[in-house]
Amino acid sequence: MTDPTYEAQRAVATELVALTLLADGVLASRELEALDRLGIPKLLGVERDALIQAIIDHCRRLLQRPERIDPVRLLDIERFEMMLDRITDPVLREMVCRAMLVLSKADGVICLPEQTLLRDALTRWGIPLEQLRD
């Protein structure tokens, strides 16, 4: 039997990876290739389609935002930090950070929003960057 708490954490982890893929405002083919090549959905314990659906859902949320001053504001740091707090499993935390790092690097540039997400996750979870090196 699957632990519902862990399943909920995996769902949040999937959303965090989706946020990382969209943080720079472009879903690059190299990022999707890295996603598949490294088997990130499988590592997270989700189907690839579930991860793609998380990306689509995030885009829909962005389009439904009422604010018109900055309609393409991709990062909601407050929401992101609440999501981070929902993951308590240390192994899953490290896995998410590894996925965030490799996907951020996949298109050749780690942009400021990607850096912000990764730095916030590492800091909030107390994971040193060196721990992510293989």
Side-chain angles (χ1 to χ4, degrees):
M1 177 155 219
T2 308
D3 177 6
T5 303
Y6 188 72
E7 288 301 315
Q9 290 183 54
R10 262 201 326 217
V12 173
T14 302
E15 285 187 62
L16 291 171
V17 170
L19 281 172
T20 302
L21 286 166
L22 295 168
D24 61 0
V26 177
L27 183 57
S29 61
R30 285 183 280 176
E31 292 170 331
L32 291 174
E33 290 166 4
L35 185 80
D36 293 332
R37 186 179 67 253
L38 300 169
I40 290 173
K42 185 176 180 180
L43 290 173
L44 294 173
V46 299
E47 296 293 324
R48 183 182 191 275
D49 289 348
L51 187 49
I52 299 302
Q53 187 61 52
I55 294 167
I56 293 167
D57 292 345
H58 179 68
C59 291
R60 283 187 181 137
R61 280 191 299 274
L62 288 173
L63 292 172
Q64 292 171 352
R65 284 187 174 174
E67 66 264 3
R68 292 291 169 223
I69 297 171
D70 189 9
V72 190
R73 184 175 152 234
L74 297 178
L75 295 180
D76 181 343
I77 296 299
E78 185 177 304
R79 180 176 179 272
F80 177 74
E81 289 176 349
M82 288 189 308
M83 291 169 67
L84 291 174
D85 290 343
R86 292 176 54 200
I87 299 179
T88 59
D89 181 83
V91 174
L92 187 57
R93 284 178 170 182
E94 185 174 327
M95 196 180 320
V96 168
C97 287
R98 285 178 185 275
M100 290 172 70
L101 178 61
V102 297
L103 293 172
S104 294
K105 294 183 344 182
D107 62 1
V109 178
I110 302 178
C111 69
L112 185 57
E114 292 167 333
Q115 291 174 29
T116 300
L117 292 178
L118 184 58
R119 184 177 45 250
D120 281 2
L122 292 171
T123 301
R124 200 162 192 96
W125 289 340
I127 299 173
L129 183 59
E130 296 77 33
Q131 187 173 324
L132 302 182
R133 294 189 181 139
D134 288 323

